Amino acid sequence: MNQPPTTLRQTKLLAADAAGIAEAAELLRAGGLVALPTETVYGLAADATSGTAVAGIYAAKERPSFNPLISHLPDLESARRQGLFDANALALAQSFWPGPLTLVVPASPGCTVSDLARAGLATVALRVPAHPVAHAVLAAAGRPIAAPSANRSGRISATSAEDAFGDLGGRIDAVLDAGPTEVGVESTIVACLDGAPRLLRPGGVPRSAIEHVIGRTLVIAGDAGHAPISPGMLASHYAPAARVRLDAEAPRPGEAWLGFGPDQQAQTDALNLSPTGDLREAASHLFGYLRRLDALGPSTIAVACIPEQGLGEAINDRLRRAAAPR
């Protein structure tokens, strides 16, 4: 099996000058991975519109599940092409962008952020960072850039290029060095979806400042009386209308088929996550292929066995949620 986490790359250390910024943007446009500075922490950046590039983030970080990723944009105008902003979201964006605030909003009809970056959800997490180097890279890249913290999963977030290189050197294409970050903690995340804004994560913008703008007490996700809206908290999640049957050796009559690896299943309603058994490719196709098969209207989607290793752990996590009783 092709395992991107163990595939060594030559990681460049780029200076935060015009040449380094241009090279970082070119690497991102080509589907590469670049650790870049923001005012909060260093982010592990990839083209958010490419499922394959986003899968590379999960592989490099060894992230255990496909949590939604924050997509970074150079300005509010660009962000509004990706998400639908209600009055609260617009007021918060105008007050705190550029800055350490992430807004979770409904994805717009023309949203180009990939299914994988959004974890198959109908929402999108957006931020306009204040760091001048990050802004320059985003403007040069010309597309949304997904960028969770530039560290391996479970480790301390990187606040310097040295931290990012120490954690991800050999796993990514470049680290753009602009010195230590200013804020040092991740962005505040606020969901503006269906009424009162909710705080999903405290961070660089204080809750009191947000409440001053919206003129009301900020609801905290998970408070008594409020269903938690943090992604991935429900057992049945990311579920198609069809039932999902896991670890299948072959489809039964009337079932759609989602294969993996060398596959002899020759039927019209069949897709293969990766004929070569590449888990990164499989991750990039997962949500889109489930949606395509579900659109055919089968009662059941049978899914081939996926190895429980590397990105396979995250793929299986999402498949188990899709197959959970509901």
Side-chain angles (χ1 to χ4, degrees), residues 11 18 45 53 76 78 86 108 137 152 180 215 224 236 265 277 297 300 306 318 320:
T11 303
L76 175 56
S78 301
D86 63 13
S108 70
V137 172
R152 284 156 72 176
S236 177
Q265 308 300 331
T300 301
I306 309 294
R318 285 306 185 261
R320 283 190 288 267

Side-chain angles (χ1 to χ4, degrees), residues 202-220:
V205 176
R207 189 201 319 179
S208 58
I210 294 169
E211 291 175 339
H212 178 75
V213 170
I214 63 176
R216 63 195 302 174
T217 300
L218 189 61
V219 174
I220 301 176

